[in-house]
Each structure stands twice: as structure tokens, then as C-alpha cells.
């Protein structure tokens, strides 16, 4: 699979950056892209893959940009999409945000990166940690004699450089779980699953070898421990650094970590999960005069835990005006550009129930087109709490363990 | 692109670049170079700055070198002479102590797409392949492919290929994968890189070191390897098992394909693989990236074609959520239609029903058609839901429901009564052409079961003058004639009016002709009309609508994880329909060869061919045009005087041949399109004595011989000889150009 060329376009379809890797597709082809996209959108037949003559456009949209790969070969679509997302990820790590402005401001780095990420249409070094070692923003601001290629590029362990030293050796572990819930309009839970990731922040010297285990049901059965506090993981995926053979034999996760932040593993489990915060809304619309909204939110998690930064977004008709709010806790504000009321609660303990009332005026002349009724969205974070009850356990004597959630542990000097 | 003030800008930039003070300050120098690049990106013609820019690359600042290399690569094709200036600096950089500089220089040099660069490339590339830094080796390996691509048709250097094969043992994983990629490009004509047993086993062992891109590509290359024994096959499958659970969806897909293809003779292994890959595929279907999710859904549909029940227990995963784009929702609904079974049908229908009232017209109609699809198996429930939807009296909903009913009645005649009961009173809500057609068809075909059918059709007849769509009028004609057969008394009068309108007042010819057709048919008596219109309805061609036969995995295994399933079967057929067998090179080739032929023939061959008419006894007259009928008549009346075969290689470009023949005054009567097999052409020519030469060219398959048969209207062996040799020359020239 090879992408012939890569384009970054603005919303109007004008190329901001283009890189012709193979030269078998003319750079002019991209001019057809936007027209094709709009035409398909009108027909209701938009897809992330658009053909034009012999050329296939594979595109993704990020913020106000289109990233488009062109190819003539009948290749692997998921590879191209993964690569495009990787490009976005790398750019985001460099510029915090990837958007038109940041592309224009970091013109040079973008070209440098595009040169390293892909050659002749084939993905090359895409690990942003390694790239950051020899393409730096500082390098562009200040001249340094940096003409060395990092050892990583030549290393057998491609994800870690040799000769890393820290005065204080530390490892931080985060278990981040998100719950994917599908609730029908009548309020019954159709589908619930937990998607989890374990993220590590590693500041260790040398080439340390780490091992850890999970309260995974298979492991517990293997070692004859009880089932009561174990979880059954499905669809476990590991970072490249983890020795899979080891996991298969004795379920320990053994690896040489990359330096800094990385995602060690991700997993999924489909268990019956009660929604952590249950929101009920009553929206009464009196045509030509007003809308009354009543929202009730209930924390359905343990009393000891507290949800932080709770944001409940309640959609309102786009022609509503003169908002009035009353909340039992937190504050509400009207966000007219997104047509919603945002109710924010800094801390929301488990078992509590809160109310918000909103009142909007409606114009006497009604809009013609019908509006959809988008769902109420809730966003929150509960520290030191995992839905699945997963725990990271120490294995062997390499390092100990304290607490879970956002834990912290000091390992021995490497 | 015209850009006002461009010259001014270039002059100012030149001043800045050649200012010694700027050159002394690295930061200012780099900024000046950067400004040039920015202007280049905006479309200013900065080609005049070439010498200054080349000079700017001779500094120690790597970033500046990169910028200059960007400039040189963009400008080189336009100014090959000046680009050679840059080559010198780049060659020097290829021996720089820093691997980063060496790699960069090598990459820039290979990126210069200009003729004649190859001779400068060879040496640095060879030393690059042996460089001790893997960074440089990676660049050099792909550089070899770039160089050979520039060379075009030149023969491949065997030593280089061997060198690349030996680099497959390189310790650096990216070098290994790049070698495969490069060899694949270089050996394209011989069918790509050869994966024999040692290479395959070596790659299998290196699998763990590769990154996700490398793994997916190596898995694709391994498709080419055929294990010798069953034992070896299962060893390979065991080794690669981890790839099925990789965190990268592209690796999972590539591995699945490899497994399915390798185990093509072991259906139980294939089934097992599809079970194992279920989890990863499902999680890709709920992936955060819409595009990956879409791709995964397309592949799920592909799998469902062979194993309809495969995802049935996971049906909830395919319920749409509010924020998903339309294309994902459509795919999900299609998946739901395919995995429905006795256990989940209730829930699936509930879910689909809730989409039917969505504000998006496309989604709502899609959901209705999906229910219509499921109705083929679970008729009663679905007809109930659809009938309920009619009560909403929404234009787009009613239209879609009626269309779904029409298809359903075709396939499941047992539901006709239920459908007919639902029909009355929906005619007022339908406005669009498709919906009207469906309704009229239903009323015509099953009008005997709908009490008010004639009156509904009468409304349509009344308003036929203001009807916008010809298709609706045609449907109305057919329906009314049909209904007339079952309920003549109620229909006779309005059928007369409709026929009168269609024949006397209608402007659309198709409708008029249809009207006349029915008029004449009716004249031949009712029995005859019945025989024509009411022949058996469930003929086997209706299988087209259904096509639910399960396909064996092997029918699609080879196109798994390509663009084909992502486009979908129908669209993929459309996309590939206009492409020649090998799409990668032909495009540019046609253009150039066309231009070449025109110039070649008008310059040289014209003379060559005109020699014949003068010296020999043959002068072909220009502008004698035979019509196809005349040609056919003459052709059939004559015997073949001469038969010969010409060597031919590759496909035919009809335009080129036609142009070439026209130059020597041979007229083309008819010709097949490019790529059609067998390819045929009919030619005619006339000399000044009035003797006709008729020719047939026939190419059975590409890369065989072209059969030429010539017929002559008067027996003149000498003239025939001359004509044949002229024809040979022309075809020889064209063949030479195209091979």
C-alpha cells in the first residue's frame, strides 16, 4: 500500500500543504476533491473514500482541515486511515492543536515532519517521541548544532533511546475508563460496555524491564485465587513494547517502556453498567411563546466517590431567546452558538440529586424547517474509581504498588 | 498564477539572500530562505532565485538544508540545467559525517524528478546501501526504487536487486520493510518481489520487531507465499496469531486476510479465524475514528455474506447513535438487516422504527427500506410497522413505505392483502416521482383488491397534464391498462381519455410511444392484452432483487482488506469499469504515445508511405467515405483475397491507430473500444482507379497476433501487394510505439 500524495486542505478545499511522495498522481488532481465531496454530500452518498478517474481519495476531517491521501492502488484502506490519524496525532503533539492556523505558523516543521513520516508513499518513523528527538520546535527558533540522528533510529528497541538518565526514577500509572452506553428514548439501557486504557508516564534510567499484572479473571483462575474481585477483560490490546508471548503463558505484562507518556494497553469489557449520572429532562415547548426545561441529575455511584467537572449540555431550539435559569447547585449558562444550555457542577458526590430549571422565550414567527431533538450530553470525571473494578498488581520484586486510579510509585534506580 | 508584485518580491528576496550580512547571521539567512518557500507555496514564480538558493544549502544548518531541498525538488523539473548545480552540493553532503545530513541529501537527490539524474545517483546510492547508519540505509533502499522509476523502461540492474535482497537481513526493521517495498516496485514487471521459503520464514521471525505499518505490509507480502505442507501452514498461522489481536486495525485486517487466503482449503480454519477476529472487528466498529469504523463495518458486511449469523448476538453494537455521520448509519442499518434472526428481530425492528421518524429524510427513508428488507423474512411484523408509519402522513415517509411495499409484494405475494388494505388514502401525501410510481404500480397490479383503486387512478388521470415526471405517466398507462382488464366498467372511460392525451397531446416521445403501443395492443383484442400483461409474475429474474445466497468465504477472501469492500460491490464495479488492467502507468502513457504517433506519422511515415503511391501502382484517394451499410454489403459480397497476421504486443489504442491510418488515407469504418476482447476494426480505402480495399483487423487476446483479412473489389494483385505493405508499415509503427 502506498499513498501517492498527501494533502492538507482548508475548509474550502484549498491546499495548505501538499507533499507528492510518488509522483504518479498529478498534484492537480486534488482540485476535483472538494467538488466531489460537495456533490456526494448533496446526494447523501458521502463516504470517506471518493473515486475520481483512476485516483482514490481517502480523507479524514480534523478541526477545520481535511487530510487527504491519494492513491491509484487498490490497497489497504484501514492502513491509510490509521496513517492519517497518526499524522494528526503527531502534529497535535507538536502544536497542541492541529488547525489551519497552526499549520500556517509551523510551516517548516510540517514539511520536515511530512518528510520523515513518509517516504515514497510508505510510512516510515511515525513515533512522535522519536521524531521529537530530532525535529524540534526549539531547533527552529534557535540554531543548535543538532545534526545527530538519535540512537533510537538505529536501535533494536525502536521505541526507546539508549542512555536515558534521570536523577529521580518515577513511574506514574493512570487507568482511564470510559463507559459506552446506549439508552433508548424510553430510558432503558440497551448496551453498556467499558473501554479502558492504562497510561504510563515513565521517568526511568537505562533500559528498565517492567512487569505488572491485573486482577484479570484468567490470571486468578490460573493461580487459584478467588473470583470475587477479578474482572474479565475482552479484546485486550497492548503497546508494541509488551511481550505478548509472556502474557499468553502467565498473564503478566512484561515490557521495556518507552520514555515519557504512552498508552500501555487498552481493553474492553461488556458488563451491565448502571449509568453513573442519570439525567432526566422534561422539555415543554409552548409554540410562539416559551420553552420550559427541567433537568434532574442523579449520581448513581458510590457515596464515597465524587464526580468532578460535571457538564450537562441540554439542547434548546435555535431560535430561543431571553434565558432564565435556576439551579440547586452549580451554574448554568446559555451557549447560543451551540444551541444549548451548559450546566456545570464542580463536584457532584455519589447518591445526590440536583435540579436545574431553565426558561426561554420563543419568537412568535416560527421557523419553517423542523429541528432534530439532539440528546442531552453529560461529561464528567470520577478520580480513584474504575467502573470495571480493574486493579494493577505488582508482579515479582521489581516494584511495589500503592493505590489505584492515578497512582504513583517509585522504582529502584536503573 | 499571476501574482502582482511578484518580480518586486523576487528582486527583494535575491538581495536578501546574497547580502553577506544576512549570510553571516544564521537566523536571518534561514528566514530569508523561509520567505522564498512561503512565496513559492503561494504561487509566486521564484525560479529565478535558483543559484542563490543552491548556495544557501551549503551551510551547516540542517533546517536550512531541508528548506532548500524542498525548493530544489519543486523547481528541478522546470530547470534541469540549473538543478545540476544543486547535485554537486548534495553529492558533497552525501559524504557528510552526520547521518542526518547524509540521509537528507540522498533523499533530496532521489526526489529530483528530472532526466539524466540517474548517473549522478548510482554511486551515492550504492554507498548509502552500505552506510553504517540505518537512517541512511532506509533512505537509500527507497532511493533505488525512485531511481529505477525515473529510468522507466531501462533494464533492471541485477547486482542492485541482489544487494536489496540481501538487505532483507538488515537488523533495522524499517530497512527490511523498505527493501520489500522497493523490490516490489523495481520488479513490478516480473510480478514483484519473490517470497520464497527462507525469506518468508525470516520475515515471520522479524514480525515482532516491526511497527504497525511494517506488519500490515509484510502480512500482505506473505500472501504470495505458498506453504509446502500442512504442517508449515499451521506453524505460520500459530506464529501470526498475535496479529489478529493487534491494537492496530490495519494489522488485524491484513492478518485476517492472510489467514483466510492461506487456509483456503480448510473451511473450518477460516470459520475459526472469523470467530477470533470478531472481537477486534467489533471494537473497530465502535472506534473513535469514523473512517476506521466505516471500513470495519464494510468488512463486517462482507463477512455476513458468507456467515449470516456471525454477528447476530452482537446486534446492539450496530445500533446508531445520534452523532454518527450518515454513511456509518447506513452501513449499520444494512448490517442490522443482514444479521436479524428470530431472537433479535423484535429489538432490531424497534430500533429501526425509531429511526423512521428521524429529521434526516435520508436516514428515515433508509430505515424504512431496511424494514422493508427484513419484511422478506418477518413479513407480518414489518408490514404492521410500515402500515403504522403511514398514519404519520409525512410525505417522505409515506413515499418510502409505498416503495418498500411494492418490492415486498413482488417477493412475498402472501402479504398482498395486508398491503392492499393499507393503500387507500395515501395518494394525497405522496409528491415525489418514485413514490407515485410505486403507488400507481400497486394499484394497477392489485387493483382488484383495492376498492377505490379506479378512483385514485382517475385523480392521476385528471391531473396528468400537470404531471412533471414522464416515468409516472408511463407507469400510469401500464397500471390503467392492467386495471382495465380486471375492472373494465370503471376504467374504460378514463383509459380512453388517458390514451387520447398520451397520443395527441403528450410531448415526451417515450410516453407517446407507450400510449400508441397500448392503443394498438388493445385493438388486437382483450385476450391478447391479457396474454401480454398478465403472464406469470414470479419469474426467476426476480432473484436480482433478492440475492441472498450465501457465498463461500473464498469468493471474497482475495479482495478482503482492499478498497473493493469499502466502496461496496456495485460502486467498485463502476469505479473499475473504466480502468485498464494495469492502472498505474497507462494514464501518462496514452497521452505521450498519442502525441508521439501524431508527430511521428505526420513527419516521417507520411513520407515513407507516400513513396509507395508514387513508385508503385497504388494511389489511395483521400476523403472517400463509405457508409457502414455500403461497407457491409460489399464486404459480404467479396471473398477474402489476402490473409496475414501481424505480431502484436499489449493492448490497442484505437485513437492512435485511427489517426495513423487516416494519414495514409485509409478510412476507419468501425472499431471496438480499447481493451475489449476480441478487438476488431473495419477499414476501407479506394485507389484512383476505383478499386476498393476492405480490411478487417482482429485481435483475439492481448499479446497475440493480429489477424488481418483484406478484400479487394477488383483483382489487382500488384495493387494488393502495395496496399498490404502500406498497412503493415502503419501497423508496425503503431505497434512499435505502444509496446
Amino acid at each position: 500500500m502506498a499513498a501517492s500524495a498527501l494533502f492538507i486542505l482548508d475548509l474550502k478545499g484549498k491546499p495548505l500543504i501538499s507533499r507528492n511522495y510518488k509522483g504518479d498522481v498529478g498534484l492537480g488532481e486534488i482540485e476535483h476533491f472538494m467538488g466531489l465531496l460537495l456533490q456526494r454530500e448533496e446526494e447523501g452518498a458521502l463516504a470517506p473514500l471518493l473515486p475520481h478517474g483512476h485516483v482514490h481519495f481517502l480523507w479524514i476531517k480534523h478541526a477545520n482541515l481535511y487530510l487527504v491521501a491519494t492513491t491509484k492502488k487498490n490497497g489497504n484502506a484501514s492502513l491509510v486511515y490509521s496513517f492519517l490519524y497518526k499524522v494528526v496525532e503527531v502534529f497535535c503533539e507538536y502544536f497542541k492543536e492541529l488547525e489551519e492556523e497552526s499549520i500556517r505558523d509551523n510551516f517548516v516543521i510540517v514539511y520536515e515532519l511530512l518528510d520523515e513520516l513518509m517516504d515514497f508513499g510508505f510510512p516510515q518513523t511515525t513515533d512522535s517521541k522519536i521524531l521529537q528527538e530530532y525535529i524540534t520546535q526549539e531547533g527552529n527558533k534557535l540554531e543548535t548544532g543538532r545534526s545527530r540522528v538519535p540512537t533510537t533510529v538505529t536501535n533494536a528497541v525502536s521505541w526507546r533511546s539508549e542512555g536515558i538518565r534521570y536523577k529521580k526514577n518515577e513511574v506514574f500509572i493512570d487507568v482511564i475508563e470510559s463507559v459506552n452506553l446506549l439508552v433508548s428514548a424510553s430510558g432503558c439501557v440497551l448496551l453498556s460496555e467499558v473501554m479502558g486504557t492504562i497510561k504510563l508516564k515513565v521517568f526511568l534510567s537505562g533500559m528498565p524491564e517492567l512487569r505488572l499484572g491485573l486482577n484479570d479473571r484468567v490470571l486468578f483462575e490460573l493461580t487459584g485465587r478467588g473470583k470475587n474481585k477479578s474482572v474479565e477483560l475482552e479484546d485486550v490490546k497492548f503497546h508494541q513494547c509488551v511481550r505478548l508471548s509472556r502474557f499468553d503463558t502467565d498473564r503478566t505484562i512484561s515490557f521495556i517502556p518507552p520514555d515519557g507518556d504512552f498508552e500501555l494497553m487498552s481493553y474492553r469489557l461488556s458488563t451491565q453498567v448502571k449509568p453513573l449520572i442519570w439525567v432526566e429532562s422534561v422539555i415543554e415547548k409552548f409554540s410562539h411563546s416559551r420553552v420550559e426545561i427541567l433537568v434532574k441529575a442523579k449520581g448513581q455511584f458510590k457515596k464515597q466517590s465524587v464526580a468532578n467537572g460535571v457538564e450537562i449540555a441540554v439542547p434548546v431550539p435555535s431560535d430561543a431567546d431571553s434565558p432564565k435559569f435556576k439551579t440547586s447547585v452549580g451554574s448554568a449558562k446559555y451557549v447560543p452558538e451551540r444551541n444549548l444550555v451548559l450546566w456545570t457542577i464542580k463536584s457532584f458526590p455519589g447518591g445526590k440529586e440536583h435540579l436545574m430549571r431553565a426558561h426561554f422565550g420563543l419568537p412568535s414567527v416560527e421557523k419553517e424547517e423542523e429541528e432534530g431533538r439532539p440528546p442531552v450530553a453529560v461529561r464528567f470525571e470520577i478520580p480513584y474509581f474504575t467502573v470495571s473494578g480493574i486493579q494493577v498488581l505488582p508482579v515479582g520484586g521489581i516494584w511495589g504498588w500503592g493505590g489505584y486510579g492515578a497512582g504513583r510509585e517509585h522504582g529502584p534506580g536503573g | 498564477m499571476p501574482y502582482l508584485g511578484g518580480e518586486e518580491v523576487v528582486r527583494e528576496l535575491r538581495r536578501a539572500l546574497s547580502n553577506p550580512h544576512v549570510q553571516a547571521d544564521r537566523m536571518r539567512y534561514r528566514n530569508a530562505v523561509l520567505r522564498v518557500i512561503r512565496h513559492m507555496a503561494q504561487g509566486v514564480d521564484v525560479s529565478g532565485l535558483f543559484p542563490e538558493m543552491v548556495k544557501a544549502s551549503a551551510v551547516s544548518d540542517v533546517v536550512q538544508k531541508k528548506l532548500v531541498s524542498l525548493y530544489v525538488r519543486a523547481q528541478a523539473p522546470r530547470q534541469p540545467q540549473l538543478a545540476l548545480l544543486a547535485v554537486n552540493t548534495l553529492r558533497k553532503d552525501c559524504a557528510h559525517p552526520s547521518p542526518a545530513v547524509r540521509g537528507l541529501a540522498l533523499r533530496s537527490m532521489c526526489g529530483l524528478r528530472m532526466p539524466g539524474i540517474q548517473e549522478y545517483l548510482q554511486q551515492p546510492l550504492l554507498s548509502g546501501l552500505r552506510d553504517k547508519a540505518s537512517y541512511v540505509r532506509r533512505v537509500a533502499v527507497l532511493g533505488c526504487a525512485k531511481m529505477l522509476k525515473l529510468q522507466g523502461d531501462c533494464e533492471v540492474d541485477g547486482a542492485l536487486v541482489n544487494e536489496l535482497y540481501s538487505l532483507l537481513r538488515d537488523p533495522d526493521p524499517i530497512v527490511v520493510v523498505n527493501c520489500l517495498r522497493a523490490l516490489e516496485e523495481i520488479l513490478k514487471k516480473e510480478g514483484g518481489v519473490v517470497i520464497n521459503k527462507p525469506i518468508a520464514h525470516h520475515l515471520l521471525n522479524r514480525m515482532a520487531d516491526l511497527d504497525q505499518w511494517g506488519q500490515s505490509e509484510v502480512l500482505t507480502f506473505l500472501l504470495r507465499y505458498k506453504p509446502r505442507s500442512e504442517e508449515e501452514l499451521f506453524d505460520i498461522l500459530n506464529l501470526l496469531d498475535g496479529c489478529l489481536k493487534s491494537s492496530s486495525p490495519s494489522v488485524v485486517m491484513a492478518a485476517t486476510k492472510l489467514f483466510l487466503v492461506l487456509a483456503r482449503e480448510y473451511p473450518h480454519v477460516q470459520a475459526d479465524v472469523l470467530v477470533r477476529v470478531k472481537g477486534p472487528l467489533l471494537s473497530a466498529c465502535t472506534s473513535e475514528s469514523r473512517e476506521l469504523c466505516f471500513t470495519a463495518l464494510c468488512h463486517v458486511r462482507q463477512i455476513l455474506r458468507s456467515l449470516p449469523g456471525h454477528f447476530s448476538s452482537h446486534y446492539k453494537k450496530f445500533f446508531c447513535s445520534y452523532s454518527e455521520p450518515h454513511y456509518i448509519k447506513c452501513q449499520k442499518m444494512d448490517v442490522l438487516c443482514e444479521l436479524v434472526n428470530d431472537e433479535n428481530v423484535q429489538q432490531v425492528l424497534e430500533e429501526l422504527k425509531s429511526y423512521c421518524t428521524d429529521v434526516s429524510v435520508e436516514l428515515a427513508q433508509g430505515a424504512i427500506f431496511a424494514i422493508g428488507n427484513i419484511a422478506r423474512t418477518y413479513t407480518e411484523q414489518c408490514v404492521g410497522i410500515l402500515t403504522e408509519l403511514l398514519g404519520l402522513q409525512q410525505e417522505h415517509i409515506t413515499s418510502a413505505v409505498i416503495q418498500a411495499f411494492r418490492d415486498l409484494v413482488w417477493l412475498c405475494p402472501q402479504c398482498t392483502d395486508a398491503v392492499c388494505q393499507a393503500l387507500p388514502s395515501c395518494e394525497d401525501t405522496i409528491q415525489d416521482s418514485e413514490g407515485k410510481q410505486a403507488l400507481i404500480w400497486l394499484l394497477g397490479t392489485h387493483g382488484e383488491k383495492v376498492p377505490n383503486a379506479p378512483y385514485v387512478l382517475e385523480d392521476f388521470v385528471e391531473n396528468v397534464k400537470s404531471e412533471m415526471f414522464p416515468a409516472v405517466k408511463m407507469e400510469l398507462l401500464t397500471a390503467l391498462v392492467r386495471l382495465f382488464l380486471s375492472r373494465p366498467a370503471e376504467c374504460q372511460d378514463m383509459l380512453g381519455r388517458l390514451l387520447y392525451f398520451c397520443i395527441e397531446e403528450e410531448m415526451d416521445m417515450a410516453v407517446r410511444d407507450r400510449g400508441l403501443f397500448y392503443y394498438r395492443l388493445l385493438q388486437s383484442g382483450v385476450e391478447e392484452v391479457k396474454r401480454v400483461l398478465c403472464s406469470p409474475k414470479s419469474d426467476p429474474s426476480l432473484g436480482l432483487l433478492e440475492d441472498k445466497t450465501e457465498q463461500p468465504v473464498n469468493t471474497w477472501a482475495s479482495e478482503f482488506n482492499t478498497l473493493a469492500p469499502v466502496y461496496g460491490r456495485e460502486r467498485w464495479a463502476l469505479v473499475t469499469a473504466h480502468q485498464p488492467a494495469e492502472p498505474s502507468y497507462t494514464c501518462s502513457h496514452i497521452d505521450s504515445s498519442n502525441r508521439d504517433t501524431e508527430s511521428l506519422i505526420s513527419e516521417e511515415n507520411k513520407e515513407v508511405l507516400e513513396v509507395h503511391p508514387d513508385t508503385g501502382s497504388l494511389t489511395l484517394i483521400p476523403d472517400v467515405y463509405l457508409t457502414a451499410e455500403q461497407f457491409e454489403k460489399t464486404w459480404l459480397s467479396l471473398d477474402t483475397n489476402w490473409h496475414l497476421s501481424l505480431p502484436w504486443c499489449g493492448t490497442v489504442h484505437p485513437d492512435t491507430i485511427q489517426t495513423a491510418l487516416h494519414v495514409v488515407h485509409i478510412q476507419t469504418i468501425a472499431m471496438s473500444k480499447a481493451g475489449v476482447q476480441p478487438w476488431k476494426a473495419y477499414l476501407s480505402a479506394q485507389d484512383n482507379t476505383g478499386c476498393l480495399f476492405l480490411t478487417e483487423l482482429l485481435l483475439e487476446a492481448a499479446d497475440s497476433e493480429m489477424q488481418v483479412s483484406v478484400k479487394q473489389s477488383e483483382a489487382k494483385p500488384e495493387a494488393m501487394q502495395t496496399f498490404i505493405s502500406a498497412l503493415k508499415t502503419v501497423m508496425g509503427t503503431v505497434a512499435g510505439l505502444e509496446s
Side-chain angles (χ1 to χ4, degrees), chain B residues 38-179:
Chain B
R38 277 189 196 277
H39 282 107
M40 183 172 80
Q42 285 165 8
V44 181
D45 180 14
V46 287
S47 54
L49 296 170
F50 210 99
E52 285 82 5
M53 288 297 275
V54 170
K55 205 174 154 211
S57 75
V59 289
S60 59
D61 180 5
V62 185
V63 175
Q64 186 161 328
K65 275 184 196 294
K66 284 184 184 168
L67 290 175
V68 174
S69 123
L70 188 67
Y71 172 89
V72 172
R73 257 182 280 176
Q75 302 289 334
R78 277 180 247 167
Q79 300 179 306
Q81 303 304 335
L82 283 172
L84 286 179
L85 280 177
V87 170
N88 247 334
T89 326
L90 290 173
R91 282 190 66 148
K92 232 177 274 163
D93 279 347
C94 283
H96 195 274
S98 153
V101 177
R102 290 203 297 273
L104 173 68
L106 206 52
R107 189 158 52 210
S108 311
M109 227 150 87
C110 298
L112 297 175
R113 295 191 186 112
M114 56 178 216
I117 184 82
Q118 297 92 310
E119 53 177 309
Y120 301 96
L121 272 178
Q122 248 156 14
Q123 196 44 50
L125 270 180
L126 276 180
S127 45
L129 289 177
R130 290 165 199 160
D131 200 290
K132 60 182 186 301
S134 61
Y135 183 77
V136 184
R137 290 202 300 277
R138 291 173 185 175
V139 176
V141 168
L142 286 182
C144 294
K146 293 182 199 169
M147 179 177 78
L148 287 159
K149 189 160 183 260
L150 284 173
Q151 268 175 357
D153 48 349
C154 280
E155 74 181 63
V156 179
D157 179 7
L160 187 69
V161 172
N162 284 339
E163 180 101 29
L164 286 174
Y165 269 116
S166 67
L167 273 175
L168 284 175
R169 311 255 163 207
D170 197 277
D172 181 73
I174 296 188
V175 172
V176 175
V177 183
N178 279 357
C179 271

Side-chain angles (χ1 to χ4, degrees), chain A residues 105-163:
Chain A
D105 291 349
N106 297 286
F107 198 67
V108 180
I109 293 208
V110 170
Y111 265 114
E112 277 188 80
L113 285 174
L114 287 180
D115 237 21
E116 297 296 332
L117 286 168
M118 194 172 238
D119 195 4
F120 203 45
F122 300 109
Q124 303 287 308
T125 313
T126 53
D127 193 321
S128 57
K129 304 258 160 29
I130 295 171
L131 287 168
Q132 267 162 355
E133 288 182 37
Y134 63 113
I135 297 178
T136 53
Q137 265 164 320
E138 289 72 40
N140 279 310
K141 288 183 194 129
L142 238 158
E143 161 63 20
T144 51
R146 49 174 200 98
S147 53
R148 78 188 176 96
V149 174
T151 45
T152 338
V153 181
T154 55
N155 229 345
V157 181
S158 64
W159 55 87
R160 188 178 178 91
S161 308
E162 272 165 24

